[in-house]
Amino acid sequence: VVAWTRDQPWADPSRLGLLGHSMGAGAVVRAAVADAEGPGGEPLLATVALSLPSADDVPVGPADVPRNLLLLYGANEQPRFVDAALGALRAAYPDGVVGPGYGAPVDGTARSAEEVPRADHITILFAQDTRQLALDWLDQTVGAPSSGSTAGGSRIGWLLLLTVGAAIGFVPLARLVLPEREAPMRPAPSPRAWVVLAISAGSAVAASLVSALLQGLTSRVPLAVGGYVLGWFAVAGLVAAGLASLRDRRRGGAPRLAQAGGWREILVVLGLTAYAVVALGLVARSTWTAFELVGDRPRWLLPVELALIAWFWADDRLVGTRWWLGALTRVVAVLVLLASVLVLGAPGFLTLLVPLMGVVLALLLVYGQTVTRRATVPWSPALVQAIPLAYLVATTFPLVSV
């Protein structure tokens, strides 16, 4: 990125700075350290690190390595991000505290750690304070042609409104294009709520245990935590489906499948799935990702889709039209995933991703329940939920070297 920027006619190669978030913060800090310690040439004049995961890459000693470093973290972030910001500050200024800056931009020794109010690891990206602090820092350090710049207002509220609106609009759309079924998709009686929750919890715990054993294998997937997520949902879905089938056979029930719909319904379901992908993709593209399958990402989309389809199909089979029960099974999945980090040594990155995934799962429940009540193709509710989530995983989880 630096080399490309320096070649652009609109760029001044003598006034460049870097900004990164989370893993990206670590990347820009390492690049800035290497630049400051390397041979001459046009230097990188400033670095802004949002939610730096670790201070290990910041050398102890000279304050100009890296040059003019601003460290921002959210008030609601985990303590390790606060420790990383203070550690990077105190690598150059041992008595440094949050708030006031140290050093001077003119000689590259400026360094500061500041807290962004009301922000967590995700919302720090969209906070007005983050943008203004970063803009002010870059104005002072890279020598902006004018002062007094003001960061623009946040779009995140409008984008969240768009997401909710798209989910609400999905309901009348599905009712318009999918005729009401003459017979229910699942014959009564449905599993009791406590049985569903027991199966959901048991399958989630089994998935966590298996995933802990297979971390050496799943870590070979070049998506940060993507391999773990793929394996977890695949195992949880298969175990839940197996337990549900065992219960049905013991009760002597008929297979809980609907008659297959015609080609029209299949095409309609695929169209509704595309609607859900676009609805989430528009927000993702306007916030944190290009929502594009670049590099090695396309080859992992199908495996992620299949894993998520397994889980959503089993969950829909158990829950049926009881939306409140579907909400509870998703809470169970989120809680077990978070507990896996503490108890089984699952990747710590999950603690940052799973809460956001919980919000997405709740949103997808609207899509799934709407289709469950009308479609006759058994895999329709799973498809309309799994494909959008698979796209989010395949396009947003950071690419890593394995």
Side-chain angles (χ1 to χ4, degrees):
V1 170
V2 171
W4 177 85
T5 303
R6 284 177 170 154
D7 286 338
Q8 303 311 303
W10 46 260
D12 182 349
S14 67
R15 296 208 330 258
L16 295 185
L18 301 175
L19 183 147
H21 169 251
S22 193
M23 293 176 70
V28 297
V29 164
R30 288 190 294 272
V33 168
D35 179 82
E37 293 179 334
E42 301 291 352
L44 296 172
L45 296 185
T47 302
V48 180
L50 313 181
S51 306
L52 182 69
S54 171
D56 292 345
D57 293 315
V58 180
V60 176
D64 60 349
V65 182
R67 300 177 186 88
N68 299 326
L69 176 61
L70 174 63
L71 302 134
L72 301 180
Y73 63 89
N76 299 325
E77 291 208 71
Q78 297 173 4
R80 67 188 180 103
F81 295 102
V82 182
D83 295 341
L86 287 174
L89 172 65
R90 292 170 180 169
Y93 299 99
D95 297 324
V97 295
V98 173
Y102 300 85
V106 67
D107 58 8
T109 61
R111 191 169 297 191
S112 180
E114 299 196 45
E115 178 181 279
V116 178
R118 302 176 300 278
D120 56 31
H121 193 73
I122 302 300
T123 57
I124 190 175
L125 280 167
F126 313 110
Q128 174 77 11
D129 288 336
T130 300
R131 294 193 302 279
Q132 192 63 60
L133 287 168
L135 181 59
D136 290 344
W137 187 263
L138 294 172
D139 280 352
Q140 298 165 15
T141 54
V142 305
S146 61
S147 59
S149 300
T150 302
S154 174
R155 295 182 298 173
I156 188 64
W158 295 107
L159 292 169
L160 291 175
L161 183 62
L162 172 64
T163 305
V164 174
I168 295 173
F170 182 86
V171 178
L173 176 64
R175 290 179 176 177
L176 179 66
V177 297
L178 282 175
E180 188 172 359
R181 293 195 311 264
E182 296 181 0
M185 182 183 290
R186 297 167 184 78
S190 298
R192 294 184 178 179
W194 71 267
V195 174
V196 172
L197 292 176
I199 292 176
S200 179
S203 60
V205 171
S208 294
L209 292 172
V210 173
S211 297
L213 296 174
L214 298 180
Q215 277 199 62
L217 177 62
T218 57
S219 63
R220 298 180 65 84
V221 176
L223 296 171
V225 198
Y228 186 94
V229 170
L230 189 159
W232 192 92
F233 277 98
V235 173
L238 293 174
V239 171
L243 291 175
S245 297
L246 179 62
R247 175 194 176 278
D248 289 343
R249 284 198 297 269
R250 291 186 62 180
R251 291 172 59 91
R256 304 168 68 80
L257 296 175
Q259 60 181 0
W263 280 106
R264 178 188 178 279
E265 181 174 318
I266 294 175
L267 293 175
V268 166
V269 169
L270 292 177
L272 292 173
T273 301
Y275 173 99
V277 172
V278 171
L280 291 178
L282 284 176
V283 176
R285 190 175 180 87
S286 301
T287 50
W288 71 89
T289 179
F291 205 68
E292 295 176 358
L293 295 168
V294 299
D296 288 336
R297 296 183 185 276
R299 61 184 292 200
W300 294 104
L301 177 61
L302 181 59
V304 174
E305 287 175 342
L306 294 176
L308 292 175
I309 287 173
W311 188 84
F312 280 110
W313 180 80
D315 184 71
D316 179 74
R317 180 180 176 186
L318 289 166
V319 169
T321 58
R322 294 171 290 181
W323 65 266
W324 56 271
L325 188 55
L328 290 178
T329 60
R330 287 155 205 249
V331 170
V332 168
V334 169
L335 292 178
V336 172
L337 274 168
L338 291 176
S340 300
V341 177
L342 300 175
V343 179
L344 297 173
F349 199 35
L350 284 171
T351 59
L352 306 175
L353 294 175
V354 169
L356 179 61
M357 187 178 291
V359 175
V360 176
L361 288 174
L363 184 69
L364 291 174
L365 181 62
V366 177
Y367 292 91
Q369 282 292 304
T370 302
V371 173
T372 294
R373 285 169 164 75
R374 305 187 75 83
T376 59
V377 179
W379 42 261
S380 298
L383 197 68
V384 80
Q385 298 176 87
I387 302 302
L389 184 55
Y391 264 91
L392 284 178
V393 171
T395 60
T396 63
F397 281 27
L399 281 174
V400 294
S401 299
V402 296

